[in-house]
Amino acid sequence: MRKPPHADPSATVRERSPRGGRQRDPAADRAILESTLALLGEGRSFADLSMDLVAQRAGVARATVYRRWRNKEELVLAALGSLDLPVPSLDGLPLREKLVTLVDQLRHRGQDTPLHRLIGGLLGEAVRRPQLVERFEDTVLAARREALTRALRDGVDSGELRPDLDLDDAVEILVGPMAARLILRQRPVESTAFAETIVDFFLNGTRADPAGPGPGPAPQHRPPP
């Protein structure tokens, strides 16, 4: 199970520092990212996208694009990252509320948004370019994954969750149902209720001291001897 990198997860997504100390033009940065998103949003595949096309669409020189991003992969990741929502503050929240907040934010960022529509195209590249999807996880998704991991680790440290809980597997279990519903099945999620259901199912199986046996098959009543 892959783990989030120890380096700053947003390093690739953030705009690259200029080479040689030349003053950066924020307007050019925005134009390049917006042009990349526009081209992808029009249905252009990763294979068909090029730095030249982006430069032409943005109205800048090709060298201007390369001064900011070394290659097409970095540029696409930066453009996708510019659409993401910041990780919400979880300070002072109980464990269940932390998990519900993080899982439910997947609904807000992954439903009927430009990022949602472009992720579908990115997943289509997974077979041909698995490294692109891996880097998407290590950059755009890393901060959210780390927030979930931190919340789970706090739950283990406080004794609320089992001490043998595999944190990487737990993150996959929490994220998977929402991603499958929104991206793979393209089914809308209307409220936070689905996130609450996911978290409650998860906690029922991972609490260190469950309150009770939970739902299960009805006991079999045997006739008295």
Side-chain angles (χ1 to χ4, degrees):
M1 195 64 63
R2 298 176 65 253
K3 297 182 179 181
H6 295 293
D8 180 359
S10 60
T12 302
V13 173
R14 283 200 309 262
E15 298 163 356
R16 297 181 58 81
S17 58
R19 298 173 184 178
R22 185 173 178 177
Q23 183 68 32
R24 284 276 293 272
D25 180 3
D29 294 356
R30 288 193 300 273
I32 292 168
L33 294 176
E34 289 171 1
S35 297
T36 303
L37 293 171
L39 289 167
L40 292 172
E42 291 167 3
R44 192 174 297 274
S45 69
F46 180 84
D48 293 335
L49 188 72
S50 71
M51 304 289 258
D52 286 338
L53 278 173
V54 172
Q56 183 179 6
R57 182 68 169 260
V60 301
R62 183 172 181 267
T64 302
V65 181
Y66 275 104
R67 274 198 298 270
R68 289 155 170 79
W69 295 279
R70 291 177 296 184
N71 52 51
K72 178 171 63 174
E73 181 177 289
E74 285 195 0
L75 174 57
V76 168
L77 291 172
L80 292 174
S82 71
L83 295 174
D84 199 14
L85 297 172
V87 177
S89 173
L90 305 173
D91 294 343
L93 297 180
L95 174 62
R96 180 182 181 275
E97 195 169 342
K98 287 180 181 179
L99 298 180
V100 169
T101 298
L102 290 169
V103 173
D104 191 53
Q105 199 187 32
L106 297 174
R107 172 170 65 95
H108 296 291
R109 71 194 287 268
Q111 181 167 260
D112 194 27
T113 64
L115 181 60
H116 172 221
R117 293 187 285 273
L118 293 175
I119 285 176
L122 177 66
L123 293 178
E125 298 286 337
V127 174
R128 294 185 294 274
R129 297 177 179 82
Q131 76 282 356
L132 179 62
V133 179
E134 289 179 5
R135 290 199 63 195
F136 178 75
E137 292 179 355
D138 289 343
T139 54
V140 179
L141 303 185
R144 201 166 312 278
R145 177 180 288 269
E146 178 56 31
L148 268 170
T149 302
R150 188 163 53 248
L152 293 167
R153 187 180 297 115
D154 290 344
V156 172
D157 292 343
S158 67
E160 296 174 81
L161 299 177
R162 295 193 328 238
D164 62 342
L165 182 65
D166 186 300
L167 299 183
D168 292 318
D169 286 350
V171 169
E172 299 291 340
I173 291 168
L174 286 164
V175 170
M178 187 70 78
R181 172 76 70 88
L182 296 176
I183 297 174
L184 299 181
R185 301 179 67 192
Q186 297 288 309
R187 286 183 56 193
V189 180
E190 302 297 340
S191 72
T192 190
F194 187 49
E196 292 174 344
T197 299
I198 294 169
V199 171
D200 287 339
F201 269 113
F202 170 80
L203 291 176
N204 284 342
T206 59
R207 286 195 186 278
D209 184 21
Q220 296 181 354
H221 296 287
R222 298 181 180 178

